[in-house]
């Protein structure tokens, strides 16, 4: 991991329909209620150029996009987000919550599109100057269940979501392998659990991280700052 500021960086990952946005919002609200400054963002997107790249890569109607082009667009959007939004927020000591990060490219483009996980990881580590999350929350969802959940919502399926369940199965396996390889940096939860139960487990893990970070910072630089009265 390259040098990064005193804040805390948490990524939410998982297949489409896993409920990442709901959980990121819940965690953000809980931390803000305690006085932490929280920055929530999403990928692709999160910057003006990133939002343009988002519609280029997700909307139907741009003709065929080959796998390498797709990987580079996601990486370009991520480069902008890391440099312009995430790093500055961590430098200020904020808590950054992102809906998807590098693991999404490793899983979707590396495993799903078959570009190779190592190649896609290297590309993205270069793009972000190796900015890595302290914790990745993986909401594990069965592809068929994810599809049902998406069908129940109002939004039309984007280019990636409309791929076959088999494609989404490769992505699910890749996410689980990434988490199994570095268990200390992941919290893996079954996405079908009740929203409240997921939110409580995620907050519990983040609390432990904040306590550990606080202990590490005693006597050194200030760590994740609670702007109000709250502390973990
Ligand atoms: P997401 O924003 O999570 O979808 P939604 O807003 O509809 O819930 O992600 C959009 C799609 O982009 C999703 O199918 C996953 C895909 N994706 C990749 O293939 N690679 C990436 O690096 C990222 C960030 C997303």
């Amino acid at each position: 991991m390259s040098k990064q500021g005193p804040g805390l960086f948490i990524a939410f990952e998982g297949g489409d329909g896993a409920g990442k946005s709901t959980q990121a919002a819940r965690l953000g609200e809980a931390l803000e209620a305690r006085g932490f400054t929280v920055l929530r963002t999403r990928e692709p997107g999160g910057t003006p150029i990133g939002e343009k790249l988002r519609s280029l890569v997700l909307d139907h109607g741009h003709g065929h996009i080959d796998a390498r082009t797709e990987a580079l667009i996601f990486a370009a959007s991520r480069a902008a987000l890391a440099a312009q939004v995430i790093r500055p927020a961590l430098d200020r000591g904020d808590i950054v919550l992102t809906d998807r990060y590098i693991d999404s490219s490793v899983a979707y483009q590396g495993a799903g599109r078959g570009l190779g996980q190592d190649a896609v990881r290297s590309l993205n580590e270069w793009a972000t100057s190796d900015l890595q999350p302290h914790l990745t929350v993986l909401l594990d969802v069965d592809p068929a269940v994810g599809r049902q959940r998406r069908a129940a919502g109002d939004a039309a399926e984007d280019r990636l979501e409309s791929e076959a369940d088999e494609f989404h199965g490769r992505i699910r396996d890749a996410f689980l392998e990434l988490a199994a390889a570095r268990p200390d940096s992941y919290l893996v939860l079954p996405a079908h659990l009740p929203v409240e139960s997921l939110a409580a487990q995620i907050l519990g893990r983040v609390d432990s991280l904040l306590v550990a970070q606080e202990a590490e910072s005693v006597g050194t630089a200030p760590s994740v700052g609670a702007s109000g009265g709250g502390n973990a």
Side-chain angles (χ1 to χ4, degrees):
M1 193 189 292
S2 68
K3 189 173 175 341
Q4 58 194 61
L8 189 67
F9 181 20
I10 300 167
F12 285 80
E13 296 281 12
D16 293 288
K20 300 178 304 303
S21 316
T22 304
Q23 290 302 327
R26 290 293 299 262
L27 180 62
E29 285 158 15
L31 293 170
E32 274 171 354
R34 295 175 180 192
F36 289 101
T37 303
V38 177
L39 187 138
R40 273 194 62 205
T41 189
R42 69 162 182 183
E43 288 207 0
T47 62
I49 187 84
E51 292 297 326
K52 288 214 158 72
L53 292 169
R54 179 182 177 92
S55 60
L56 267 183
V57 75
L58 294 185
D59 295 352
H60 297 274
H62 296 299
H64 175 68
I65 300 181
D66 72 275
R68 282 170 196 261
T69 304
E70 183 180 279
L72 287 164
I73 295 175
F74 282 116
S77 169
R78 183 165 300 126
L81 187 70
Q84 295 170 28
V85 177
I86 301 178
R87 251 183 219 286
L90 295 175
D91 287 345
R92 292 193 298 269
D94 296 353
I95 299 180
V96 177
L97 309 180
T98 181
D99 195 334
R100 297 194 181 280
Y101 194 58
I102 293 178
D103 283 3
S104 277
S105 280
V106 173
Y108 281 80
Q109 282 64 54
R113 297 294 194 212
L115 288 178
Q117 299 189 37
D118 290 345
V120 172
R121 175 168 297 287
S122 300
L123 168 70
N124 280 281
E125 287 178 348
W126 178 81
T128 60
S129 301
D130 200 18
L131 180 65
Q132 301 285 353
H134 296 97
L135 174 71
T136 297
V137 177
L138 172 58
L139 296 178
D140 177 46
V141 65
D142 180 288
V145 174
R147 190 173 292 281
Q148 282 163 16
R149 285 180 166 204
R150 296 198 300 278
D154 330 314
E157 292 202 319
D158 64 42
R159 271 184 61 250
L160 278 295
E161 285 170 338
S162 51
E163 290 287 341
D165 282 354
E166 196 262 321
F167 174 84
H168 289 282
R170 285 202 296 280
I171 287 158
R172 180 190 195 188
D173 292 345
F175 275 132
L176 289 171
E177 281 163 22
L178 288 169
R182 291 195 308 123
D184 291 350
S185 305
Y186 285 80
L187 172 64
V188 184
L189 295 169
H192 62 76
L193 293 182
V195 171
E196 294 302 328
S197 158
L198 290 170
Q201 292 186 62
I202 295 168
L203 186 58
R205 179 66 179 263
V206 172
D207 271 341
S208 331
L209 259 183
L210 287 166
V211 169
Q213 209 180 36
E214 195 55 45
E216 253 175 47
S217 73
V218 170
T220 60
S223 186
V224 182
S227 56
N231 209 338

